[in-house]
Amino acid sequence: MPVKPVPLGFVFRSRAKDEKAPADKTVTLSKQPRDPQAPKGRPTPKRSEAQSQRRSVAHTPTSRKEASKRQREDRRQALERQRQALATGDERYLPARDKGPVRKFARNWVDSRFNVAEFFLPLAVVILVLSVVRVPAIQSVALLLWLVVIVLIVLDAAFSGFRLKKRLAERFPDENTRGAVAYALMRSLQMRRLRLPKPQVKRGERP
């Protein structure tokens, strides 16, 4: 029986073309328009969800440099919010040591009264000037003033601490008030206009 010669093109033709053919056909079929009534296989996201996803993708840093820049910007904004909170008393952005109703009450209690300790700096300047004068009588007066100021500050701090501790126990019986008295006494050492957060009550006003 005679054997028909096989064309060389059939033997050596590329198999890659044969393998690509079904894929090309599949791609061609996939490009056909989808029926609008046909189900998509997944629920349609809400507009708010889609917008939040787009924002998250847009704000995602793509490099280490961009991530560092974003962190610096976030830190700067946090510090700016904290600075404004210290001036306005906004509880949301205050530092941790100033947050909470207990600390707020302690601040208001100190700011509502006169404290001997807040006049320490101006009195110290006056006493130092008097002590520089080379007159024995004036220097003796300066030394006496030093002793009087220190004694008054200690007595006022002890009395204020005792009263504040009692008020805190009455006002916040079920909350932790540890450290609030020391926090208030440290605030009383500062001049009123230099205190942070800024005073929110007037002198004589009941907190």
Side-chain angles (χ1 to χ4, degrees):
M1 182 176 180
V3 180
K4 295 182 180 181
V6 180
L8 295 178
F10 177 79
V11 177
F12 296 101
R13 69 177 179 176
S14 175
R15 294 179 62 188
K17 294 182 179 180
D18 295 339
E19 294 175 354
K20 291 180 180 179
D24 295 340
K25 185 176 181 181
T26 303
V27 172
T28 304
L29 293 175
S30 64
K31 291 182 179 180
Q32 294 180 356
R34 186 179 64 83
D35 187 359
Q37 303 297 329
K40 295 187 293 184
R42 57 182 175 83
T44 303
K46 297 180 180 179
R47 177 177 295 182
S48 59
E49 296 177 354
Q51 291 177 351
S52 63
Q53 290 177 358
R54 286 196 295 267
R55 283 196 297 266
S56 63
V57 172
H59 291 288
T60 302
T62 57
S63 64
R64 181 176 298 179
K65 183 178 180 180
E66 186 177 351
S68 300
K69 182 179 179 180
R70 181 69 52 80
Q71 290 178 357
R72 289 195 300 269
E73 181 64 20
D74 293 343
R75 193 180 303 112
R76 186 190 66 79
Q77 292 179 359
L79 291 175
E80 178 63 21
R81 288 194 297 265
Q82 187 179 105
R83 185 187 66 79
Q84 294 179 358
L86 290 173
T88 60
D90 191 347
E91 286 282 336
R92 295 175 298 171
Y93 305 114
L94 285 176
R97 65 181 179 85
D98 299 313
K99 282 186 176 181
V102 175
R103 298 299 174 95
K104 182 178 181 180
F105 179 82
R107 289 197 304 271
N108 292 340
W109 191 86
V110 170
D111 297 336
S112 65
R113 59 191 300 273
F114 286 95
N115 304 276
V116 178
E118 66 180 291
F119 302 104
F120 174 75
L121 287 178
L123 288 175
V125 173
V126 173
I127 294 172
L128 286 175
V129 171
L130 293 177
S131 62
V132 172
V133 179
R134 296 188 176 182
V135 177
I138 296 179
Q139 291 181 347
S140 300
V141 171
L143 180 59
L144 181 61
L145 285 176
W146 268 121
L147 296 176
V148 172
V149 169
I150 292 174
V151 170
L152 288 176
I153 290 175
V154 172
L155 292 177
D156 183 63
F159 181 69
S160 299
F162 176 78
R163 288 187 59 193
L164 178 58
K165 188 175 181 180
K166 184 178 179 180
R167 291 291 305 277
L168 289 173
E170 295 174 353
R171 189 75 173 266
F172 307 98
D174 300 327
E175 295 191 29
N176 182 16
T177 60
R178 183 177 181 181
V181 174
Y183 171 78
L185 294 179
M186 290 298 297
R187 184 175 178 85
S188 67
L189 291 172
Q190 302 170 344
M191 298 179 66
R192 182 181 173 86
R193 66 178 60 184
L194 300 179
R195 293 172 183 171
L196 291 175
K198 294 290 186 182
Q200 302 297 314
V201 296
K202 298 178 180 179
R203 295 190 189 272
E205 183 179 351
R206 187 173 181 179

